[in-house]
Each structure stands twice: as C-alpha cells, then as structure tokens.
Amino acid sequence: MVRAGLTRERLTRAGAELADEVGFDQVTVSALARQFDVKVASLYSHVKSSHDLKTRIALLALDELADRGATALAGRAGKDALTAFANVYRDYAREHPGRYAAAQLRLDPEAAAASAGARHSQMTRAILRGYDLAEPDQTHAVRMLGSVFHGYVSLEMSGGFSHSAPDSQESWSRVLDALDSVLRNWPAP
C-alpha cells in the first residue's frame, strides 16, 4: 500500500533533492523508495519509471531556472540583463548541481514542448533585443550564450578552474564582458 502523503510532486521534489545530494545519474525509483522506506512497486502509481522520474526532475529544474531568470531580468537591459541572466545559471548550478544536470536532460519532443525551455529561449531573445540582432543572427547568439554559460559552469563545477589563478569569478566577469562586446559588435553576414 502506498504511504499517505506520497504524490507525484512530492516524489519529484524528493528526487530533485536526492539529485543535488548524490548526483542526477544516481537518481532511480529504487533509491527514492529507499529514502521513503517503501517498496519500489508502491511508487509506480506515481511515476512510471526512473526515466519518468528524471524527466519530471528535469521539468522542475527548467521551471525553477525560468522563474529565477524572469525575476533576474525584470527591469534590466543590455549588459546588465546579460550578466543577471548568466548569473542565474551559474548560481543555480552551484546551489543545485543535480537539478542543473537534470536541466540538461534530452527531453522527448512532447515533454520539451510542455517544458519551460521555451521560456528560457524567450528570455534570451529578450536580452538580445537590446543588442538589436535580427534573424538568423539572433538564433546564432542564443546558441552562443547557451554554450558559453553551460560550458563555463560545467568546467567550473568539475573543478576545471580551481588549480590556477586568477580566481574563477574574475574569469567569469571577463567572459561576460567579452560576450557583451561580441553582441554589441556582432559581425555582419
């Protein structure tokens, strides 16, 4: 019998917390059942599989990131907006490493369409309107920003910048300055 109080949402949040503690790759329905001291079978009325659980964690992470991004962008434009948005990703990854990893999960087309992924793209495009980029340059810039943010954060989280000076924060600031400069001086096709 399923324990009272277990819901899809509660299991998703518990899975997200577990991901932050032990790593997203380690999250399974079995691990969650152990955490709640229930039989694995009792969780299948709430989640279909470990992949379903991971997808739900990914959707939660994308929602949380989008909410933070929207708050950070309110009233900002240009470099200020770019920096605030970039810091949302970096800060979220530091606070929630498992959830950040979950946000990178490749979603099936239906889940992707229902996710907050579109909000992320819209916010990035809102930032880029301050740089007056038209298509297809705007799409190229969206991809560039996503690649730089994720690449930097991933390298930093894996310890790639911890063995030498200058401090990673100084490099991050320089990277954001460089992105701002590139966007203000975007090359003509």
Side-chain angles (χ1 to χ4, degrees), residues 22-112:
V22 301
F24 182 61
D25 291 340
Q26 302 303 313
V27 175
T28 63
V29 174
S30 296
L32 208 52
R34 283 190 299 276
Q35 185 172 332
F36 282 100
D37 195 28
V38 298
K39 294 184 186 228
V40 173
S42 67
L43 297 186
Y44 286 121
S45 62
H46 302 291
V47 294
K48 297 175 190 171
S49 63
S50 289
H51 180 72
D52 180 45
L53 175 62
K54 286 184 173 188
T55 298
R56 291 178 186 287
I57 296 167
L59 295 172
L60 172 68
L62 288 169
D63 281 339
E64 289 175 345
L65 269 166
D67 290 345
R68 286 184 180 201
T71 298
L73 287 177
R76 292 188 162 102
K79 184 180 178 199
D80 189 33
L82 174 69
T83 299
F85 195 61
N87 285 334
V88 163
Y89 283 88
R90 186 172 182 229
D91 293 346
Y92 188 81
R94 288 172 161 179
E95 292 170 34
H96 300 291
R99 293 178 206 203
Y100 182 78
Q104 310 312 311
L105 181 70
R106 184 178 187 149
L107 300 172
D108 66 58
E110 185 177 314

Side-chain angles (χ1 to χ4, degrees), residues 4-28:
L6 288 185
T7 64
R8 182 175 290 132
E9 293 75 24
R10 184 169 179 215
L11 292 172
T12 300
R13 290 213 171 271
E17 290 170 14
L18 184 62
D20 288 339
E21 292 169 19
V22 301
F24 182 61
D25 291 340
Q26 302 303 313
V27 175
T28 63

Side-chain angles (χ1 to χ4, degrees), residues 170-188:
E170 184 178 339
S171 295
W172 178 247
S173 296
R174 299 284 299 268
V175 165
L176 296 178
D177 289 344
L179 286 173
D180 175 63
S181 179
V182 166
L183 292 170
R184 281 187 287 107
N185 300 293
W186 193 266

Side-chain angles (χ1 to χ4, degrees), residues 93-152:
R94 288 172 161 179
E95 292 170 34
H96 300 291
R99 293 178 206 203
Y100 182 78
Q104 310 312 311
L105 181 70
R106 184 178 187 149
L107 300 172
D108 66 58
E110 185 177 314
S115 78
R119 286 178 59 202
H120 292 264
S121 179
Q122 291 166 351
M123 286 185 281
T124 307
R125 289 177 185 280
I127 292 166
L128 294 173
R129 279 195 291 277
Y131 292 97
D132 199 29
L133 295 179
E135 284 298 348
D137 291 329
Q138 194 175 92
T139 296
H140 296 312
V142 167
R143 292 173 180 168
M144 176 186 72
L145 292 177
S147 298
V148 172
F149 297 166
H150 178 65
Y152 194 95

